[in-house]
Amino acid sequence: MADLPTATERFIQGILPENPVYRQMLGLCPTLAVTNGMKPALTMACSVAFVLLCANIVISLIRNLLKPHLRIVVFTLTIATFVTIADRFLAAYLFQMSKTLGPYIPLIIVNCLIICRCEVCASKQSVFTASADAMGQALGFGLALSSIAAVREILGTGMFFGIRVLPEAWPDWVIMVLPPGAFLTLGLLLGLVNWLGMIKARRAGNDA
Amino acid sequence: MIYFIDIMLIALSAALINNFVLYYFVGICPFVGVSRKVEMALGMGFAVTFVISIAAFLSWSITTMVLIPGAPVSSFIAGFFLPAEAAANIDLTILCYIVYIFSIASSVQFVEMYVRKFFPILYRSFGVFLPLITTNCAILFACLTIMSHVVGVDNPEDAWDLGRAIALAFFGGIGFTIAIVIMSGIREELELCDVPEPFRDAAITLVIGGILAIAFMGFTGVDSGIRKAVMPKPEIQAADSQLNADAFVYVDMKGQEGRVRIP
């Protein structure tokens, strides 16, 4: 059995090389749904970070007790518990944001990203490594969400975080804040990231 | 008659106007991942429709029988432990997400057993996708929508009954099937095109999904238009007399008025 990556490796990998949205293509539902503004995007990123961290820690603590054929059910139930906590917290303290995010907070339960991290890392490695992995992936997820939300919000409303950055004369590209804009932005940004990766790989190939 | 129209409008809305994939972004993973061949996409769509209907039935039943305040089964059981007053008002809605996930996992299990027994070839062609439907957002999303119409309503009269819940779920699955089959047809044609390398596979699928979403945006307002056309006339005439000459009045699903000025 090959050596599993260490905590720092897991952390660094999660941010860009194994970015959950751009490289692993996991968790696309919230990526497309909540990125029509920076604030919902960051709220979603924080919620996912909380759930991912707690779920990873708990699964890592009980990793020796998991039966192979029941593990997905255990992961899902753990995640469901923490998502309930996050959802009730948002409903209590950030009610307006909770209404904006709507059903997408409970949909974190079936977010492939969290189940995948539990399966790949938390069920096999120590609590410290699992938390480092969770934080790295959450950072990567937050970066991805912010990049898409920035494009959509600036082009769609001329504002960034509610502060106007484009002149008043800018005709808002309303389609950017509607569903098609989400697909188009993610598709084009994904193409851009792939292209940058190809250039980097070609340069590394040329140097070698 | 009104009930039938209501069901039809829910069905239309779930399938086309507020399409699960192209408007609500649920079920994106199979949409991007499975949509290479039309037969595969069709099979996946039908499996999802089947599972979503069963899961909606289970979750509506459990929500109305066990979870909402004053539900029959939970008050009966709580009656053994708590005083009658507290037992009648027992509220278990905090458990709804966990309960829904359980019901979805069991629906998927049931469907898997059924397909393995009666359609073994289909089962083998599915491979890993069938258990993966458990994490399909579309099913949980349907359950959550039904929950919001049962638990989240202010007036208990407006709470959805089983017919509406199943209509939403089934036609949501049909809408998912429509979207995924269209996408797979396009992708089959795309095999013969020269897609730039950074865009192959996932990125071009998302861009095409965006164009599909623009196309489906053309359905917006159809349900409120139909509702306006079939509602009893006096309501509409009363609304008409108040409106500006160049504003378009519609009555939406909740019976509220909205006005849109068409420039």
Side-chain angles (χ1 to χ4, degrees):
Chain A
M1 173 128 114
D3 272 339
L4 295 165
T6 63
T8 23
E9 274 170 22
R10 286 279 192 208
F11 182 75
I12 307 267
Q13 287 285 321
I15 304 180
L16 283 181
E18 271 185 31
N19 189 289
V21 173
Y22 287 128
R23 292 262 164 238
Q24 298 182 65
M25 304 281 296
L26 301 173
L28 292 181
C29 300
T31 312
L32 293 167
V34 307
T35 44
N36 46 9
M38 280 302 286
K39 284 191 197 138
L42 287 181
T43 314
M44 171 61 76
C46 292
S47 319
V48 169
F50 167 72
V51 174
L52 186 53
L53 188 64
C54 297
N56 262 18
I57 290 177
V58 168
I59 297 291
S60 181
L61 285 172
I62 61 172
R63 68 183 181 278
N64 294 321
L65 303 169
L66 293 172
K67 300 269 177 288
H69 53 279
L70 286 180
R71 62 187 199 289
I72 302 283
V73 180
V74 173
F75 295 160
T76 320
L77 288 176
T78 319
I79 296 168
T81 319
F82 288 115
V83 169
T84 311
I85 296 175
D87 178 51
R88 292 296 94 202
F89 179 84
L90 278 179
Y93 291 107
L94 290 172
F95 186 63
Q96 210 46 47
M97 187 54 66
S98 163
K99 274 266 177 285
T100 313
L101 290 174
Y104 294 104
I105 294 283
L107 282 177
I108 299 178
I109 302 175
V110 286
N111 192 332
C112 309
L113 165 65
I114 309 186
I115 298 183
C116 185
R117 288 341 284 175
C118 286
E119 166 80 14
V120 164
C121 177
S123 58
K124 298 183 177 129
Q125 298 190 265
S126 70
V127 178
F128 182 65
T129 318
S131 356
D133 180 65
M135 287 195 282
Q137 291 283 326
L139 255 178
F141 189 66
L143 264 175
L145 281 191
S146 313
S147 58
I148 301 170
V151 171
R152 285 180 77 190
E153 192 176 4
I154 293 180
L155 290 178
T157 59
M159 303 210 222
F160 184 70
F161 258 119
I163 308 168
R164 179 152 281 275
V165 291
L166 289 178
E168 281 282 343
W170 172 256
D172 298 334
W173 294 5
V174 179
I175 199 151
M176 282 313 216
V177 292
L178 293 177
F183 281 106
L184 289 169
T185 313
L186 180 58
L188 293 173
L189 281 179
L190 189 58
L192 182 68
V193 169
N194 285 345
W195 183 60
L196 292 173
M198 276 166 50
I199 293 185
K200 189 173 164 197
R202 205 174 298 151
R203 201 170 295 149
N206 281 341
D207 291 340
Chain B
M1 185 60 188
I2 293 288
Y3 183 72
F4 175 69
I5 292 172
D6 211 11
I7 296 272
M8 196 194 76
L9 287 174
I10 292 176
L12 195 64
S13 165
L16 290 177
I17 304 167
N18 300 329
N19 186 292
F20 274 17
V21 178
L22 299 172
Y23 186 83
Y24 284 126
F25 309 110
V26 286
I28 294 287
C29 294
F31 184 67
V32 172
V34 182
S35 56
R36 283 218 179 80
K37 295 256 173 286
V38 178
E39 298 86 27
M40 198 79 191
L42 205 56
M44 181 74 172
F46 284 150
V48 167
T49 309
F50 193 33
V51 176
I52 213 175
S53 316
I54 298 176
F57 171 75
L58 276 178
S59 55
W60 182 89
S61 316
I62 297 180
T63 310
T64 28
M65 305 284 173
V66 179
L67 293 179
I68 58 175
V73 173
S74 50
S75 336
F76 176 69
I77 298 180
F80 295 127
F81 308 108
L82 297 173
E85 177 72 37
N89 289 334
I90 190 162
D91 181 4
L92 293 175
T93 40
I94 196 80
L95 296 177
C96 55
Y97 302 148
I98 299 177
V99 164
Y100 292 159
I101 269 298
F102 249 142
S103 71
I104 292 170
S106 42
S107 321
V108 171
Q109 199 65 19
F110 170 68
V111 168
E112 197 180 346
M113 288 190 319
Y114 180 75
V115 168
R116 180 152 58 178
K117 180 133 197 247
F118 292 110
F119 304 105
I121 301 176
L122 186 67
Y123 180 73
R124 246 177 286 130
S125 73
F126 265 131
V128 74
F129 293 131
L130 210 44
L132 217 59
I133 296 181
T134 317
T135 58
N136 189 338
C137 304
I139 307 184
L140 185 61
F141 180 77
C143 295
L144 291 172
T145 313
I146 294 168
M147 178 187 95
S148 72
H149 284 278
V150 171
V151 171
V153 287
D154 306 316
N155 182 0
E157 294 284 310
D158 286 336
W160 272 13
D161 61 337
L162 187 59
R164 291 186 172 93
I166 302 262
L168 176 92
F170 181 74
F171 284 98
I174 296 286
F176 173 82
T177 311
I178 293 174
I180 203 174
V181 166
I182 294 177
M183 177 57 84
S184 65
I186 295 176
R187 277 184 97 173
E188 275 191 359
E189 297 292 322
L190 212 58
E191 302 271 312
L192 307 168
C193 299
D194 187 17
V195 181
E197 201 170 328
F199 279 90
R200 290 208 186 130
D201 276 338
I204 196 72
T205 311
L206 286 164
V207 172
I208 293 173
I211 300 175
L212 263 180
I214 297 178
F216 271 67
M217 260 170 69
F219 287 117
T220 318
V222 170
D223 56 348
S224 46
I226 294 180
R227 181 167 283 270
K228 182 182 168 188
V230 300
M231 282 294 263
K233 293 299 177 203
E235 246 179 64
I236 302 301
Q237 280 169 0
D240 264 327
S241 63
Q242 298 163 20
L243 70 85
N244 295 330
D246 50 7
F248 171 74
V249 158
Y250 62 90
V251 180
D252 72 13
M253 292 275 317
K254 295 203 179 89
Q256 289 163 351
E257 263 178 43
R259 280 201 174 78
V260 171
R261 300 185 69 89
I262 303 189

